[in-house]
Amino acid sequence: MTTRFDSNGTIIDSNYCRFGAEALTKLFLTIEAQIDGVEKSEDIEYVHKMRVTSRRIRAAMPIFQECFPKKRYKKWLNEIKKVTQFLGNARDLDVQIEVIKDYIKQLPPTEPKTGIESLLERHIERRTNLQVSVISGLEELEKCKVLEQITNYCQQIVKESTSTFFNLFVVREKAFWQISAKLDNFLAMEEFVHKENEILKHHEMRIKAKWLRYTMESFAPLYPEELSSEIEMIKNFQDTLGEMHDCDVWIASIPKFINEMESEVSAFAENEQAVADSNQDLLKFLEHIKEKRKNYYEKFVSFWDEEKSKNAFEELRKNASAGFVVATFRTQAELANPYVKIALIADIHANLNALEAVMQDAGRRGITVFLNAGDLIGFGAFPNEVIQALYSKNALSVIGNFDLEVLDKTNIGKGSKKFSLEYSRNVLSKSNETYLRTLPAKLELEIFHKKLLMVHGSPDSVDEHLYHDTPEKRFEELAQKSGVDIIVFGHSHDQFTKKVDGTLFINPGTVGMPRDANPQAAYAVITANPFSVELVRVNYEVEAAADALRRKGAPESYSQVLLRGLSLEGILAEDKTRENDMEIKCAVIMKSARGVARKYWLELKHSDQVRKLSTQLFDCLKDLHKLGKRECCWLECAAILHDIGLSQGSKGHHKTSLKLILNDAQLPFTSGERRVIANIARYHRKGCPKNTHYNFTSLNRELKRKVSILAGILRLADSLDFSHQSIVQNVEAHVAFENVIVQGSVFLNPILEEYAINKKKDLFEKSFKKNIVVTWKQIQPLQLPSQATPILAQQPTLPTAENPESSQTANCITARDSEAEQLDKNSSTN
């Protein structure tokens, strides 16, 4: 048999593709048999049947997309879409013509029919003209040979796989995922069921019902009862919603036709009464359609409520998973392969970035089998994506304690776990929840004549922690009880192997939540023959994973767990010990912050100047902002660190500074302080805080207020040294009615500083609800302290069109702050 690979180099499941190829072959043979009847146009049902078949093909091809070459799949699918489109227009007119004819038949002989007969004639004329495009579409279909090409390709797949054993349960497991996902899409529209006027949403719901039904029909032969009752239920929803949609089309189109008729009739009629008479029957027809729409809607709601009360949708999901047995993910024959290599993973905790890095590393080693020892979700930002990634690799998994806690809706969670439990439950899809519930607590396998037991905590309990230094006696007890050669487990996040009484214990470590101060993802590799176990650590985009948690609104302590490779309890305990006297604490923090700042940007003269001016403004305005020593310390740290983002380029360096402050493990901030200080530094330039900025939004209301105040002060202080020449020696401020009067002591004309203040005072004024008025106090050079910057030969001037590169401007506008360049253009916005 030929081994097939998808676009990512992953081996394609031959069982699944064989089933899909057989199903699609039947559909293509059906559509070919319907072409002749559509061409002759003697029976409108041929158009209907061929259109439905094309829709079924369009629903089935994405389900089995992995089985087709990427480029040809896209081309083939587009050709099938064209068939649906040109047949769809014809079928819609056929249905509308029959509706009009049936309506006319029920009218009394004396009833006026001028308008309705005109409507019928117009539809018949359009349908006759449309037959030309139908024939043209069929000719194009035959010319491109898409039916022949896909049929041949599908037959080749079937031919190549007939010599292998067909594993029904492997295919049914994938069927469950496909059906469950489509069911989720349909149920997501539930909020619009009892809203009669949500016409567009009802139409969208009809389409989702249609794809769900076609998906179930594609997989129906896998099930004993062929999901017949479930398919009939969804078909009823689809049909009723379809009738509602047809009525909605009429309700929108009839008034347009009436307007057209009025224009045509009024050109020949002698009076307005003739126009009114010609439209009277059309208005009655419109009322008839509206009444039908109302009746169909009531039928739809009644049917929905009835099926909902019977829990029919979850029964559908349950029946779709019938026969789903975890041990059938992979055949025992594959695990018995003497040359098989197996990746052991555990404790992913919804960390998709780490899992993808592990899978890529495993792929480079030629590994195709994954055994997962539980805790797939909980804590990380991507529970659904992690489950889907494991599913795509056909991973064998057992359930973990955190997985169980997420599924237990009665466990509301406390303390540090509360956010994780609530977030996981809120975002976890129904299909993924069902998948977790199917996972066993234990899994026994045989790998090349060795018996392997996989659990999460220990063979005795999902909650038991086994560490490398757990007493050997305990390992002896477990070895004797289990009677297996290998026990794979997780839970403790402690990567180690230990052989006791002939039993090899393997903890592959944690993929997504290291606790040993090493942020790398961990896993283990088993080679069957000769037997060996390798413990592996892998780098991954830990900062991206940490930032993903921030985007989801997680506490900063969650991100620090990933960045520093420590337990959440360890991070919180460390934060608590840092809550010391602020005067002592601030001195220590400042020293560390300066050390980190120097790591990124050696010259700290500007940062020190901004820190000095910031603290002077802070002290002068205490009666206004009413903040204390803690907040002043935050401001000073932000001032020292606000420009470290320049180390990675001037563009967007304020955002880079925020990321570096959040992610640098050497900074001695608590998790909460880290996010506050990072936000203060981030807003020293450009835009003001917004609720669309997720790092700002994650703060509580009081911290948002403090960040805005402190960032406003920092922004103003940064403006006061915009030339980076320390022209402003000192600053004083006081409140005068609706104004804050800021006076700077300068020894040169502060042209750039004054210009920058006018551009960047917005956040200060918004936070303090006061206007800034700046005055300058000239001081003599002799008054300067001995360490002051030497006096410049001439005062700085703003660049002009005539003098775009003045030497003084070149001195003042440095690469350390690209804002000056923006100000030169007179076009930047903050």
Side-chain angles (χ1 to χ4, degrees):
M1 176 184 165
T2 303
T3 302
R4 296 179 180 273
F5 299 86
D6 65 15
S7 58
N8 297 319
T10 303
I11 297 176
I12 293 172
D13 189 328
S14 61
N15 291 285
Y16 189 59
C17 290
R18 173 182 167 182
F19 177 81
E22 290 175 344
L24 281 166
T25 298
K26 292 177 183 177
L27 288 172
F28 282 113
L29 293 175
T30 300
I31 206 170
E32 285 178 347
Q34 295 163 342
I35 292 176
D36 187 55
V38 173
E39 286 180 338
K40 292 179 179 178
S41 191
E42 295 173 353
D43 186 346
I44 63 172
E45 284 305 303
Y46 278 108
V47 172
H48 171 58
K49 290 176 181 178
M50 187 172 178
R51 181 195 189 190
V52 170
T53 306
S54 71
R55 280 177 167 174
R56 286 194 168 99
I57 293 171
R58 285 179 58 193
M61 285 186 69
I63 293 172
F64 303 103
Q65 181 177 351
E66 65 187 74
C67 306
F68 296 98
K70 189 173 182 179
K71 290 184 179 179
R72 278 191 279 177
Y73 164 80
K74 187 175 181 181
K75 178 184 176 183
W76 289 340
L77 186 60
N78 284 336
E79 292 298 333
I80 299 301
K81 285 180 180 178
K82 291 178 184 177
V83 175
T84 307
Q85 288 168 356
F86 72 71
L87 290 176
N89 294 332
R91 173 59 182 170
D92 289 344
L93 283 170
D94 286 338
V95 171
Q96 290 170 351
I97 289 169
E98 291 304 308
V99 167
I100 299 171
K101 286 181 177 179
D102 289 342
Y103 177 74
I104 291 175
K105 285 179 183 178
Q106 70 181 16
L107 292 176
T110 57
E111 188 82 13
K113 302 181 184 66
T114 304
I116 195 71
E117 288 175 346
S118 297
L119 183 64
L120 177 60
E121 290 173 6
R122 184 70 58 88
H123 275 66
I124 293 174
E125 180 184 359
R126 287 175 58 196
R127 178 62 181 90
T128 302
N129 295 336
L130 194 60
Q131 185 64 17
V132 176
S133 64
V134 171
I135 300 299
S136 176
L138 292 174
E139 290 173 350
E140 181 63 29
L141 178 65
E142 184 179 359
K143 183 179 178 181
C144 73
K145 298 187 180 300
V146 63
L147 300 180
E148 180 183 346
Q149 290 172 6
I150 307 181
T151 302
N152 290 340
Y153 191 85
C154 289
Q155 289 174 343
Q156 183 63 30
I157 291 176
V158 174
K159 182 179 179 181
E160 291 173 358
S161 59
T162 49
S163 60
T164 61
F165 172 73
F166 181 75
N167 192 326
L168 169 68
F169 295 105
V170 169
V171 182
R172 191 182 288 175
E173 182 263 334
K174 290 196 173 186
F176 161 74
W177 283 100
Q178 295 286 355
I179 294 170
S180 195
K182 299 295 190 304
L183 178 60
D184 286 341
N185 292 338
F186 177 63
L187 295 179
M189 308 299 295
E190 181 175 5
E191 64 175 295
F192 305 106
V193 169
H194 293 90
K195 297 179 180 179
E196 185 173 358
N197 295 322
E198 288 285 356
I199 295 172
L200 295 178
K201 294 299 182 181
H202 294 157
H203 175 49
E204 185 179 347
M205 195 172 188
R206 177 182 73 91
I207 294 172
K208 292 184 185 299
K210 174 178 66 179
W211 294 122
L212 171 58
R213 171 193 165 191
Y214 290 161
T215 300
M216 287 195 293
E217 288 177 343
S218 296
F219 291 112
L222 295 170
Y223 298 88
E225 302 296 326
E226 295 196 344
L227 299 176
S228 56
S229 60
E230 291 82 3
I231 290 172
E232 183 62 26
M233 176 183 69
I234 299 302
K235 182 179 182 298
N236 286 338
F237 280 118
Q238 179 192 345
D239 291 345
T240 307
L241 287 164
E243 295 287 357
M244 288 165 54
H245 175 65
D246 290 344
C247 291
D248 292 330
V249 172
W250 278 120
I251 292 169
S253 64
I254 292 173
K256 293 180 182 178
F257 182 73
I258 289 174
N259 289 335
E260 293 174 7
M261 289 292 293
E262 286 179 345
S263 300
E264 294 173 6
V265 175
S266 62
F268 302 98
E270 295 180 357
N271 54 62
E272 294 181 0
Q273 186 61 43
V275 177
D277 291 342
S278 68
N279 293 334
Q280 185 179 10
D281 55 328
L282 285 173
L283 292 174
K284 288 184 178 180
F285 179 54
L286 178 60
E287 290 304 313
H288 167 73
I289 294 296
K290 288 181 178 179
E291 186 64 26
K292 279 182 66 177
R293 207 282 182 185
K294 187 176 183 64
N295 292 337
Y296 280 125
Y297 172 71
E298 291 174 353
K299 177 183 176 183
F300 163 64
V301 171
S302 175
F303 186 47
W304 178 277
D305 292 341
E306 179 186 351
E307 297 300 323
K308 189 78 175 175
S309 67
K310 295 188 298 187
N311 204 29
F313 300 119
E314 290 312 307
E315 282 297 313
L316 186 161
R317 198 190 304 274
K318 180 181 177 181
N319 292 338
S321 67
F324 184 125
V325 181
V326 173
T328 62
F329 276 135
R330 285 201 172 274
T331 63
Q332 191 64 45
E334 185 174 3
L335 292 172
N337 180 353
Y339 304 106
V340 71
K341 295 180 76 174
I342 303 167
L344 305 179
I345 58 178
D347 297 289
I348 304 164
H349 287 288
N351 188 338
L352 181 65
N353 303 81
L355 178 61
E356 287 178 338
V358 165
M359 287 181 166
Q360 288 170 8
D361 187 75
R364 287 190 288 268
R365 296 168 183 263
I367 297 171
T368 58
V369 180
F370 290 83
L371 301 183
N372 170 39
D375 271 3
L376 292 69
I377 64 171
F379 186 84
F382 301 107
N384 290 310
E385 293 81 354
V386 160
I387 292 175
Q388 288 298 316
L390 291 170
Y391 155 68
S392 71
K393 295 293 184 181
N394 292 322
L396 283 166
S397 300
V398 295
I399 199 160
N401 66 299
F402 217 125
D403 303 324
L404 290 168
E405 289 182 46
V406 173
L407 294 176
D408 180 10
K409 304 296 177 63
T410 63
N411 181 357
I412 60 173
K414 295 181 181 179
S416 58
K417 272 189 177 181
K418 186 175 178 63
F419 172 84
S420 180
L421 287 174
E422 289 179 351
Y423 170 74
S424 298
R425 288 168 184 158
N426 287 338
V427 303
L428 190 65
S429 71
K430 270 288 184 183
S431 54
N432 289 331
E433 180 182 330
T434 302
Y435 167 77
L436 284 179
R437 293 188 187 281
T438 66
L439 297 182
K442 299 180 181 181
L443 189 61
E444 295 184 13
L445 302 166
E446 187 170 317
I447 300 174
F448 195 53
H449 312 306
K450 291 182 182 293
K451 292 182 179 179
L452 180 148
L453 171 65
M454 183 165 66
V455 294
H456 179 63
S458 81
D460 282 352
S461 171
V462 71
D463 292 314
E464 182 177 3
H465 291 87
L466 295 177
Y467 297 96
H468 68 278
D469 56 356
T470 294
E472 190 154 324
K473 184 178 180 180
R474 179 55 181 152
F475 286 108
E476 291 173 357
E477 293 172 354
L478 295 172
Q480 291 170 7
K481 280 184 181 180
S482 63
V484 297
D485 301 299
I486 306 168
I487 297 178
V488 176
F489 58 98
H491 190 46
S492 65
H493 296 214
D494 186 11
Q495 187 184 47
F496 69 95
T497 63
K498 183 187 288 283
K499 194 163 189 178
V500 179
D501 284 355
T503 298
L504 179 62
F505 291 83
I506 307 174
N507 187 326
T510 170
V511 170
M513 278 185 70
R515 295 175 178 172
D516 57 357
N518 179 356
Q520 291 177 306
Y523 79 110
V525 177
I526 288 180
T527 301
N529 186 24
F531 185 83
S532 65
V533 179
E534 180 185 0
L535 301 180
V536 183
R537 297 301 286 265
V538 180
N539 289 322
Y540 76 97
E541 295 181 350
V542 64
E543 292 185 4
D547 201 48
L549 281 166
R550 296 180 186 119
R551 290 176 183 272
K552 304 301 183 184
E556 181 59 30
S557 54
Y558 278 47
S559 296
Q560 293 305 310
V561 165
L562 303 185
L563 291 164
R564 301 172 65 186
L566 298 176
S567 68
L568 182 58
E569 293 75 13
I571 293 291
L572 295 174
E574 193 176 271
D575 287 350
K576 190 172 182 179
T577 61
R578 286 175 170 164
E579 298 292 337
N580 300 320
D581 180 78
M582 283 308 301
E583 290 184 8
I584 300 173
K585 178 184 175 184
C586 196
V588 175
I589 286 178
M590 292 287 291
K591 184 177 180 180
S592 296
R594 284 180 62 81
V596 172
R598 244 188 216 99
K599 179 174 71 173
Y600 294 104
W601 198 256
L602 289 174
E603 176 53 61
L604 298 184
K605 179 184 172 184
H606 170 66
S607 296
D608 285 337
Q609 174 71 353
V610 172
R611 184 195 66 80
K612 182 184 81 170
L613 298 176
S614 294
T615 54
Q616 289 177 354
L617 288 168
F618 183 91
D619 290 340
C620 290
L621 298 171
K622 277 185 176 179
D623 290 341
L624 188 60
H625 58 63
K626 301 186 186 304
L627 302 179
K629 292 178 181 179
R630 180 187 299 273
E631 291 78 16
C632 186
C633 183
W634 294 345
L635 175 61
E636 291 189 78
C637 291
I640 289 172
L641 298 165
H642 78 281
D643 265 353
I644 61 175
L646 286 167
S647 60
Q648 297 182 20
S650 60
K651 185 176 181 180
H653 73 265
H654 56 306
K655 296 180 182 178
T656 307
S657 294
L658 174 137
K659 290 179 181 178
L660 293 175
I661 294 169
L662 286 173
N663 297 332
D664 195 305
Q666 293 182 0
L667 288 169
F669 307 144
T670 67
S671 300
E673 289 173 338
R674 185 180 292 270
R675 192 171 285 185
V676 168
I677 293 167
N679 272 288
I680 296 168
R682 181 249 193 273
Y683 294 112
H684 83 271
R685 68 190 291 269
K686 291 292 183 180
C688 296
K690 295 180 181 177
N691 283 329
T692 54
H693 299 165
Y694 61 89
N695 279 302
F696 179 74
T697 305
S698 64
L699 302 173
N700 63 41
R701 185 175 181 180
E702 180 60 16
L703 285 179
K704 285 180 183 177
R705 183 185 74 84
K706 291 180 179 180
V707 165
S708 296
I709 289 171
L710 297 173
I713 293 174
L714 176 63
R715 198 179 180 95
L716 181 58
D718 188 56
S719 302
L720 288 166
D721 192 42
F722 194 72
S723 66
H724 290 213
Q725 297 296 322
S726 299
I727 290 174
V728 180
Q729 291 300 293
N730 292 291
V731 66
E732 296 178 359
H734 65 275
V735 180
F737 301 104
E738 299 303 316
N739 299 321
V740 171
I741 310 298
V742 177
Q743 184 182 70
S745 299
V746 299
F747 67 95
L748 288 175
N749 193 355
I751 296 176
L752 290 178
E753 281 71 17
E754 188 164 320
Y755 192 63
I757 289 168
N758 288 330
K759 297 292 289 185
K760 297 172 67 175
K761 65 183 181 179
D762 49 354
L763 182 54
F764 185 100
E765 292 184 333
K766 182 179 179 181
S767 301
F768 286 94
K769 296 181 173 56
K770 302 286 183 184
N771 299 317
I772 288 182
V773 177
V774 180
T775 63
W776 305 107
K777 178 182 178 183
Q778 193 76 32
I779 58 176
Q780 297 302 317
L782 292 176
Q783 293 177 268
L784 294 177
S786 59
Q787 69 271 26
T789 304
I791 300 174
L792 299 177
Q794 61 183 31
Q795 295 180 356
T797 58
L798 282 171
T800 63
E802 293 77 17
N803 184 23
E805 297 181 357
S806 77
S807 61
Q808 184 58 51
T809 302
N811 286 332
C812 295
I813 304 176
T814 70
R816 295 176 60 196
D817 197 331
S818 64
E819 261 185 296
E821 182 181 348
Q822 296 296 320
L823 292 174
D824 295 345
K825 298 176 182 178
N826 288 330
S827 61
S828 68
T829 61
N830 289 320

